[in-house]
Amino acid sequence: MPIDPYFNIVIVGTMLLIAVGLVYLVWLAATRQRRGRHLEQQVVGQIATLLNQHLPLDQGLKAAALAEHGLVRQRLERIAGAVAEGRPLPSALRSALPECSGTTYSLADFGRRTQSLPHAMNLADHWLAERSRRVEVTPRGSMLYALMVLAGLLFILFLMTILIVPKFE
């Protein structure tokens, strides 16, 4: 029974879609941590600004959330709700900001215990800014791996369509 000539096109298309999907998934995994750090930096920056201006934290976070979009807005609203319920800021950060690093949480807890929360949140904001400057490196290693996988898949696909499939026709 002869093989349908469109069978090769289907195989090639499927392999290309899988290869592109793999590259995209590797890129998402490589940039996820950086996006979480940026989100944490924005939220902590808003909190530090509010505390420096001696504004009520729950109302200030609600107002700041109105000016933001996406995940930043959502996280600010959750923190504002937790603070409005009477929870301390470190507890609100831990529950409403899953991207919160241990250092940020520790600084917020230390600031609450020593009655110097504005200073501690400023330190957290500066630490996050410095960390993001140091880490602003493109994920070359993971992208190189993804490109090598794509090249390998294309090479295997090439061998299949040129050497193996014609033998069955």
Side-chain angles (χ1 to χ4, degrees):
M1 180 174 185
I3 295 179
D4 187 16
Y6 293 108
F7 183 71
N8 291 344
I9 296 172
V10 170
I11 289 177
V12 170
T14 304
M15 293 295 283
L16 285 175
L17 283 174
I18 290 171
V20 169
L22 284 174
V23 169
Y24 180 68
L25 288 175
V26 168
W27 178 79
L28 278 179
T31 58
R32 180 176 180 213
Q33 188 176 17
R34 191 171 62 205
R35 287 191 308 260
R37 288 178 180 163
H38 184 66
L39 174 67
E40 178 186 10
Q41 184 179 0
Q42 286 181 304
V43 170
V44 170
Q46 290 279 6
I47 293 170
T49 302
L50 289 171
L51 290 172
N52 285 332
Q53 295 173 352
H54 303 293
L55 296 173
L57 198 56
D58 57 342
Q59 294 171 0
L61 286 171
K62 287 178 186 174
L66 293 176
E68 296 291 341
H69 300 285
L71 281 176
V72 176
R73 181 182 201 150
Q74 184 184 46
R75 300 297 193 258
L76 287 172
E77 287 172 347
R78 284 184 185 173
I79 295 170
V83 169
E85 290 174 359
R87 293 173 52 194
L89 182 62
S91 174
L93 280 175
R94 180 63 80 188
S95 63
L97 186 65
E99 300 85 3
C100 185
S101 65
T103 304
T104 302
Y105 175 76
S106 296
L107 283 169
D109 192 43
F110 177 76
R112 181 185 64 85
R113 291 173 192 238
T114 60
Q115 303 298 321
S116 61
L117 194 55
H119 181 66
M121 294 311 290
N122 275 336
L123 285 175
D125 187 30
H126 291 299
W127 178 77
L128 287 169
E130 182 63 30
R131 184 180 69 172
S132 71
R133 266 185 250 126
R134 281 191 316 246
V135 179
E136 282 297 322
V137 178
T138 57
R140 291 187 183 129
S142 58
M143 289 307 290
L144 180 64
Y145 175 75
L147 289 175
M148 293 302 289
V149 168
L150 178 63
L153 286 173
L154 290 176
F155 181 69
I156 291 169
L157 181 65
F158 173 74
L159 288 178
M160 281 177 45
T161 56
I162 301 300
L163 300 175
I164 298 173
V165 173
K167 290 183 180 180
F168 291 107
E169 290 181 354

